[in-house]
């Protein structure tokens, strides 16, 4: 049976790639500089995660009313995130379609990467359908449908070219430190960060792992492979209510009228 995005998107294990996706995003200055100047990962890390996941889950699983609510919230949050070119900087604009394409691309590639690490490789028909459907994460905002690469081969060419050019600058490194070494937030979050940093490093392309300053050697690589194998044995056996708890939690917040935080 050919599955789609709705069949895999609720898997909570995909959150293991959150750090990877964010670091890939901020390594692009058009995204990273906007985040550095208009966001506060260090002060409200859980609210930032809630904003992103609420939006993604609403696009894939939400009602029309839920999607409308989160779309309005994201657009309000994005409105002030803009700066014109100055000196060597090209500036940034959260409504820029190229920047939105990059953000969605990081979410898609990370979701597929983590899913296949845990559940095994997707068959071609399922992978094609998920790829086509993932465009909705961007087109629900300002991404024109024709900007999403036509197929997975076109995406791979776009992705490889973009990733190869990425080099985190000082602002990206500062945001990464705030994200990966939080001084505030819930105690459980701080306790979880060593594992989050380890998974993030293991999932990043090698040159970006080095660019963000992660210590990594053969021993780390072996530990990462063992960790993913164990996760692949244990996670699929968990009850669905546990595996899908993040989706139900974030969408449930919308149902009871919880205000959607800024993205």
């Amino acid at each position: 049976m050919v599955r789609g995005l709705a069949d895999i998107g609720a898997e909570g294990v995909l959150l293991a790639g959150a750090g990877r996706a964010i670091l890939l995003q901020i390594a692009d200055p058009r995204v990273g500089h906007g985040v550095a100047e208009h966001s506060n990962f260090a002060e409200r890390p859980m609210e930032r995660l809630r904003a992103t996941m609420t939006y993604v889950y609403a696009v894939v699983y939400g009602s029309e009313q839920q999607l409308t609510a989160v779309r309005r919230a994201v657009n309000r949050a994005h409105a002030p995130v803009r700066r014109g070119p100055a000196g060597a900087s090209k500036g940034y604009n959260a409504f820029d379609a190229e920047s939105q394409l990059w953000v969605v691309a990081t979410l898609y590639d990370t979701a597929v990467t983590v899913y296949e690490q845990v559940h095994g490789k997707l068959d071609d028909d399922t992978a094609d359908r998920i790829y086509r459907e993932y465009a909705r994460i961007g087109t629900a905002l300002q991404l024109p449908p024709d900007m999403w690469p036509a197929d997975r081969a076109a995406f791979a060419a776009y992705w490889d070219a973009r990733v190869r050019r990425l080099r985190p600058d000082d602002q990206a490194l500062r945001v990464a430190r705030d994200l990966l070494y939080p001084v505030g937030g819930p105690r459980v979050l701080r306790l979880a960060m060593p594992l989050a940093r380890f998974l993030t490093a293991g999932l990043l392309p090698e040159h970006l792992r080095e660019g963000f300053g992660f210590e990594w050697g053969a021993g780390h690589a072996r530990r990462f492979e063992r960790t993913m194998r164990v996760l692949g044995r244990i996670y699929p056996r968990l009850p669905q209510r546990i595996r899908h708890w993040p989706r139900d939690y974030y969408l449930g917040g919308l149902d009871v009228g919880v205000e959607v935080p800024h993205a």
Side-chain angles (χ1 to χ4, degrees):
M1 181 180 69
V2 177
R3 294 171 295 160
L5 178 55
D7 297 306
I8 77 164
E11 297 293 347
V13 73
L14 301 185
L15 293 174
R20 176 197 195 255
I22 293 171
L23 264 56
L24 284 163
Q25 291 165 21
I26 64 175
D28 181 340
R30 291 177 301 182
V31 177
H33 290 190
V35 170
E37 296 180 21
H38 295 271
S39 188
N40 54 353
F41 278 120
E43 296 175 23
R44 299 191 303 167
M46 299 308 291
E47 289 192 30
R48 296 297 168 180
L49 176 63
R50 181 158 68 97
T52 299
M53 297 317 302
T54 299
Y55 170 73
V56 170
Y57 289 138
V59 171
V60 181
Y61 302 102
S63 66
E64 198 59 42
Q65 291 82 0
Q66 288 173 322
L67 178 56
T68 297
V70 295
R71 183 191 290 122
R72 287 174 177 167
V74 170
N75 284 335
R76 284 197 304 270
H78 282 176
V81 184
R82 61 182 67 206
R83 182 182 294 277
S89 172
K90 296 180 180 179
Y92 53 84
N93 186 329
F95 291 119
D96 172 57
E98 287 282 356
S99 297
Q100 291 193 5
L101 171 59
W102 176 240
V103 170
V104 179
T106 66
L107 296 175
Y108 161 75
D109 187 81
T110 298
V112 171
T113 296
V114 173
Y115 186 89
E116 292 191 331
Q117 285 268 3
V118 174
H119 290 276
K121 191 169 178 61
L122 294 164
D123 66 82
D124 285 341
D125 289 340
T126 295
D128 286 342
R129 179 178 173 184
I130 290 170
Y131 174 73
R132 292 192 301 270
E133 293 176 349
Y134 223 95
R136 290 161 43 204
I137 305 298
T139 58
L141 294 174
Q142 288 79 40
L143 179 68
D146 59 0
M147 282 191 68
W148 188 243
D151 52 33
R152 287 192 295 140
F155 179 86
Y158 162 81
W159 179 261
D160 291 345
R162 287 297 307 275
V163 170
R164 198 163 46 240
R165 296 195 301 267
L166 290 178
R167 297 293 185 277
D169 62 13
D170 289 343
Q171 294 202 58
L173 292 174
R174 177 172 64 80
V175 173
R177 282 195 303 272
D178 289 345
L179 172 68
L180 296 172
Y181 297 91
V183 296
R187 185 168 183 267
V188 66
L189 172 67
R190 298 195 299 276
L191 291 174
M193 286 316 297
L195 176 60
R197 290 191 292 267
F198 177 66
L199 293 176
T200 297
L203 291 166
L204 278 172
E206 182 176 359
H207 76 282
L208 287 175
R209 186 188 301 139
E210 295 175 356
F212 278 108
F214 288 103
E215 180 182 350
W216 197 261
H220 296 90
R222 288 192 296 272
R223 279 180 51 216
F224 178 77
E225 291 173 3
R226 286 197 301 270
T227 299
M228 300 311 289
R229 283 198 301 271
V230 170
L231 194 57
R233 287 196 296 269
I234 295 174
Y235 176 82
R237 293 177 170 82
L238 295 175
Q240 180 174 292
R241 69 180 184 277
I242 295 176
R243 302 199 324 269
H244 293 184
W245 180 85
R247 179 201 62 184
D248 299 337
Y249 171 75
Y250 289 120
L251 288 182
L254 286 175
D255 290 338
V256 297
V258 175
E259 182 181 355
V260 179
H262 286 182

